[in-house]
Each structure stands twice: as structure tokens, then as C-alpha cells.
Amino acid sequence: QLENPQAAVAGEATGAATTPGDFPVEEAPAEPQMDPAEEATLKAKALRAVVQDDCAALSEVLDCVALGIWSRWQNKAGKDLITLSEERGSSSAYSELAKALGLVKEVKREAFEERDTIWVFVAGNVQPKRATVLEDTPEEVDEILVEYWDGDDPPERVDRCRVRKMQT
């Protein structure tokens, strides 16, 4: 029986106590450095691209500069790029920035089987409608044949992007 179980975890069966200095500490990688003049030029280009909703120019800057650098850029009012894109209604720039920051991800296309229970999101309604899939539908098909649980509406085909499987 070992006197110090923590030492055994550390790989030492001698019973000697370990200290935090005994383990290697992994340090965060240093931010890549940029020439201040070049960074200022790219920052101005990125801010201009966000205001003008110019996705191509913004992508060009984001590809040249590390995330840790451009994500801290602010305009004179203290607004970062993503906040500025929201305030200005620059939807393309917002989309580009959100993807680069990892805020959004593409939804994986799912295959649907006959009798799957689903939610169908309808434009103008906050609450989705409950429905049942009426035929097997592979991932590559864009429309799904559904029958709604509520009402007497006949079965209809709906766009895949409006459908989500219910949790069972």
C-alpha cells in the first residue's frame, strides 16, 4: 500500500510528495508579431470592408492576419469588427466574421425515415409545427413530404432547411 496516492498518479511509487513544479507547464503560444504600419493599414481596410459590407475585401484581410490580432481590433468608438457589422447591418461581413470566430457552424444534412417526428419552422410563426415524415428521404433530397399533426391540411412537401428532427 502506497503512503501517497497522488505520487502514484504522478508515476512515482516511492511515496515522495510531488510539487506543482514537478510537472511541465504548457504555455500558450505567443501571438505572431506584425509590423505596426502594416497592421494599421490592414485594420483600416478591415473596418472599411465591414462598413461597406464588402465580404471579399474582409476575407482578404482575415486570411493575412492571425485571429488573435484582428479579433481585438476596434474603431475609434471602441467597437470591434463583429459589433460594428451588427450595428451597420452588414450581414455579409457579419457572416464572414462569425464563421472565422467559430460562432456559427453549418448544419449537417440528415436523412429522414418514414414516420420520423419532426418540427417544421414556418415563416412568420415563432413556434414550429409538429409533423410526421411520410416517406424515406435521403440527405441529398431538398424537399420532404410531411403531414402536420394539427389541422386538416393535406400532406405537403417542405424545404429541408425548415425541418428539424424531434428529440426522442
Side-chain angles (χ1 to χ4, degrees):
Q1 191 178 50
L2 297 173
E3 293 177 15
N4 187 347
Q6 291 171 334
V9 170
E12 298 176 357
T14 61
T18 60
T19 62
D22 293 339
F23 299 102
V25 176
E26 187 175 319
E27 294 183 17
E31 284 294 326
Q33 297 297 317
M34 286 188 75
D35 174 48
E38 181 185 8
E39 183 177 350
T41 302
L42 290 170
K43 176 181 173 182
K45 187 174 180 181
L47 290 167
R48 192 176 317 107
V50 167
V51 170
Q52 295 174 351
D53 202 19
D54 184 352
C55 195
L58 181 60
S59 289
E60 189 178 303
V61 174
L62 298 183
D63 290 342
C64 299
V65 183
L67 173 76
I69 294 174
W70 68 258
S71 64
R72 293 191 307 247
W73 286 346
Q74 296 181 345
N75 66 3
K76 291 178 183 176
K79 309 287 183 185
D80 63 357
L81 294 173
I82 198 147
T83 303
L84 184 62
S85 69
E86 284 180 301
E87 288 182 355
R88 296 293 180 109
S90 302
S91 58
S92 295
Y94 180 86
S95 175
E96 187 71 26
L97 291 165
K99 283 186 231 173
L101 290 167
L103 299 176
V104 294
K105 295 180 181 162
E106 188 173 340
V107 177
K108 181 186 176 294
R109 290 177 71 115
E110 296 182 88
F112 292 93
E113 296 178 8
E114 185 177 355
R115 310 306 308 159
D116 275 349
T117 55
I118 57 170
W119 292 110
V120 179
F121 292 86
V122 180
N125 291 344
V126 176
Q127 180 65 38
K129 290 183 172 184
R130 296 178 295 182
T132 302
V133 175
L134 295 181
E135 62 186 13
D136 290 345
T137 310
E139 295 173 17
E140 57 275 355
V141 175
D142 291 331
E143 290 186 336
I144 300 168
L145 182 63
V146 303
E147 181 176 44
Y148 295 106
W149 292 10
D150 300 326
D152 295 326
D153 295 336
E156 71 173 312
R157 293 195 179 278
V158 295
D159 289 329
R160 169 182 292 282
C161 63
R162 296 179 29 212
V163 176
R164 297 290 173 266
K165 285 187 179 180
M166 286 188 187
Q167 298 291 333
T168 55

